[in-house]
Amino acid sequence: MKKFAFVFPGQGSQSVGMLDGWADHPVVAQTVAEASEALGENVGQLIKEGPKEALALTTNTQPVMLVAGVAAWRVWQAEGGALPDAVAGHSLGEYSALVASGVLTLAQATPLVRLRAAAMQDAVPVGTGGMAAVLGMDALKVQAICAEVTAQLGGAEVVEAVNFNDPSQTVIAGSKLAVEKACEAVKAAGAKRALPLPVSAPFHSSLMKPAAEKLKAALADLSFAAPQIPVINNIDVTVQTDADAIRDALYRQAFGPVRWVECVQAIKARGVSHLVECGPGKVLMGLTKRIDADLTGAALYDPATLADVKELLA
């Protein structure tokens, strides 16, 4: 079998009915039931019926994406799929990766990501923060422009590079004014586009520090098991096995950048040739192609793609 890794998507890949492709697969039904019990609400109904606006609320998006990723992972296992050589997740997806690796149970992770989402939403009042995707510009140049804009605004307004998604796509985040100024500046400096993102908070920016402190307290109360599969984290692009080190990485990830380009490169450095996006959508597949054309990307989100992935990796 080919060497492969599983990667789990984060916010933005959700959609109403995203588990419908699995129909009544018992493993998916059990996963949804576990999450519903842990949250004390009907997660399955929210995923199946929405509405879209409810699914897009950060406090809902984070738990449902966790559930969708873990459901696909559990089906893979139930249908005889081999263990990957590594796992990773984009932002919120890192929690799905930790469940897949056995570090956290779904019952632990579901309320944890709900708390994380609520804390992030509370950290910055709606309308005062923002995010934007900068396309067609080197990440180092984007970082430099963000630093210049922050300095020009006297430090009271902040904008930072927070998601390094592919070699020419960097997401910036911070206070609304600073993000708007940075968008103007990167376009003036030659970026192809600077697109404001429809999000409710400046995720992964230093403005999320208050949220991270709430998350830190919750993480301290959870028992972590040793990972059964190497998990490459977002914040340091390293594999941690010590529980306290994993907790600390999750804490810092909340207000630090997602270094996805380096994560994919680190996965490849482990001899991996295939990356399987486990969960809804194909966002990470697209990023994989742009990060390293030698890597083969695949998606796993329903029985048909499950069969395709099995054939691809055989």
Side-chain angles (χ1 to χ4, degrees):
M1 177 170 262
K2 299 177 178 74
K3 288 197 79 168
F4 69 100
F6 268 31
V7 291
F8 295 85
Q11 281 187 239
S13 291
Q14 72 278 358
S15 62
V16 176
M18 60 186 172
L19 292 180
D20 288 357
W22 294 115
D24 297 318
H25 197 293
V27 169
V28 176
Q30 174 60 30
T31 302
V32 171
E34 273 181 52
S36 296
E37 185 176 347
L39 279 186
E41 63 185 69
N42 192 334
V43 174
Q45 185 178 0
L46 177 62
I47 293 172
K48 190 172 185 63
E49 300 175 10
K52 182 181 177 182
E53 293 73 23
L55 213 60
L57 292 172
T58 294
T59 50
N60 288 332
T61 307
Q62 296 201 20
V64 299
M65 282 302 299
L66 170 75
V67 170
V70 171
W73 162 253
R74 287 180 171 180
V75 172
W76 171 257
Q77 288 187 297
E79 300 292 339
L83 286 181
D85 293 278
V87 291
H90 189 284
S91 183
L92 163 71
E94 190 163 301
Y95 289 80
S96 305
L98 288 166
V99 173
S101 183
V103 174
L104 291 170
T105 66
L106 182 62
Q108 288 176 311
T110 312
L112 181 65
V113 298
R114 164 62 61 80
L115 178 146
R116 176 182 185 263
M120 286 177 157
Q121 193 59 75
D122 292 345
V124 179
V126 174
T128 62
M131 299 182 77
V134 179
L135 308 179
M137 179 173 275
D138 177 76
L140 289 175
K141 193 167 183 180
V142 175
Q143 283 180 293
I145 290 172
C146 285
E148 286 171 18
V149 169
T150 300
Q152 287 165 7
L153 293 172
E157 306 276 348
V158 177
V159 60
E160 298 156 353
V162 296
N163 287 5
F164 300 97
N165 284 337
D166 73 32
S168 64
Q169 184 196 122
T170 304
V171 174
I172 61 175
S175 53
K176 191 167 185 290
L177 175 64
V179 171
E180 288 170 354
K181 294 285 186 188
C183 285
E184 293 169 8
V186 294
K187 284 190 281 190
K192 284 182 183 175
R193 300 178 80 182
L195 304 171
L197 299 178
V199 296
S200 53
F203 302 119
H204 297 291
S205 73
S206 58
L207 298 179
M208 291 288 107
K209 190 80 189 293
E213 295 303 326
K214 291 180 183 177
L215 179 64
K216 188 177 190 177
L219 289 165
D221 291 337
L222 291 178
S223 59
F224 281 38
Q228 302 304 301
I229 307 165
V231 182
I232 296 164
N233 71 35
N234 288 179
I235 192 71
D236 301 317
V237 196
T238 57
V239 174
Q240 298 290 356
T241 55
D242 175 73
D244 285 338
I246 296 171
R247 285 189 188 93
D248 183 58
L250 289 174
Y251 158 70
R252 288 182 292 114
Q253 189 230 46
F255 64 94
V258 174
R259 297 163 60 185
W260 193 248
V261 172
E262 292 169 272
C263 285
V264 171
Q265 291 168 341
I267 289 169
K268 187 187 181 188
R270 300 176 80 88
V272 167
S273 58
H274 291 65
L275 259 66
V276 179
E277 183 168 2
C278 188
K282 298 180 179 179
V283 171
L284 301 183
M285 267 184 70
L287 297 183
T288 298
K289 289 176 187 172
R290 295 194 289 277
I291 292 168
D292 192 322
D294 291 338
L295 288 168
T296 300
L300 170 58
Y301 54 81
D302 63 11
T305 53
L306 173 70
D308 290 343
V309 170
K310 281 189 168 183
E311 186 177 345
L312 180 68
L313 298 178

